[in-house]
Amino acid sequence: MRIDFTKMHGLGNDFIVFDAQEGAPLPTAEQFRRLAERHTGVGFDQALVLERPRRAGTRTFYRIFNADGAEVEQCGNGARCVAALLALRGDTGADATGTGEFAMDSPGGLVQARVIRPGLVSVNMGVPNFDPRALPFEAEAEADTYHLQAAGQDVAFGAVSMGNPHAVITVPSVDTAPVATVGPALEGHARFPRRVNVGFMQVIDRGSIRLRVYERGAGETLACGTGAC
């Protein structure tokens, strides 16, 4: 199988982006895993597949496959890369400068993108959803904080959907956060039926945080757009 792709990244969160050929099969989960290998393949956190628009008024429908080959719902930095690539191709319906706003579609829903200047893109990821059923997360009721046993300890976290599931843990320092142990233990916990992205958040002040994210199906990544949201 031949794939013509573009290698992109958003703050180090890296991707391959390619067009789905009409009628052609996509790579299998095993093929995605082989492509994601950083020493023997291309290397990526996610693969982004561009398809024809499925809704009027949108420029593309994009799908997201994690490094482990599993398809997921949403990716914030990936959406920025898709928007930047469409702008580079002149396929946004924007003005002659290549800047402007346009809509894209995904399994996680509509995303509004804005190209501020070439290479600088923002996306509106929508409203956070704290209903545990939205992640999904098995809980009796919505709460600010939940507790689970993971990696041999009691872990307190918040749960939120940004079109994809996130568990957010407040830590005193991201430098010493147990990302490598608690991250995978919480990611695959039975109460997250579709697994979960695990964010380790250090609050600096009311206007800034530091963040590390153990991403579902990819491990720790250099950045996570929906995690930052």
Side-chain angles (χ1 to χ4, degrees), residues 48-61:
L48 306 171
V49 182
L50 308 186
E51 298 184 351
R52 288 173 177 252
R54 300 184 184 182
R55 288 197 241 193
T58 61
R59 308 307 299 187
T60 189
F61 184 93

Side-chain angles (χ1 to χ4, degrees), residues 80-155:
R80 293 200 305 130
C81 287
V82 170
L85 184 59
L86 293 179
L88 186 66
R89 292 176 173 179
D91 191 23
T92 66
D95 61 28
T97 67
T99 62
E101 298 186 10
F102 54 94
M104 307 184 300
D105 200 4
S106 71
L110 289 174
V111 172
Q112 293 292 330
R114 181 162 68 101
V115 179
I116 301 164
R117 62 174 185 267
L120 182 60
V121 178
S122 69
V123 288
N124 184 339
M125 300 306 299
V127 179
N129 191 340
F130 296 97
D131 185 337
R133 293 171 296 183
L135 281 85
F137 169 54
E138 295 176 3
E140 293 182 358
E142 183 179 321
D144 291 336
T145 305
Y146 305 91
H147 291 263
L148 285 179
Q149 290 294 314
Q153 59 185 288
D154 179 76
V155 179

Side-chain angles (χ1 to χ4, degrees), residues 176-206:
T176 57
V179 178
T181 54
V182 173
L186 203 57
E187 176 212 13
H189 198 284
R191 286 175 61 183
F192 291 101
R194 291 182 58 82
R195 299 186 292 171
V196 71
N197 301 289
V198 186
F200 297 80
M201 176 184 67
Q202 176 186 350
V203 178
I204 305 301
D205 54 45
R206 291 189 64 83

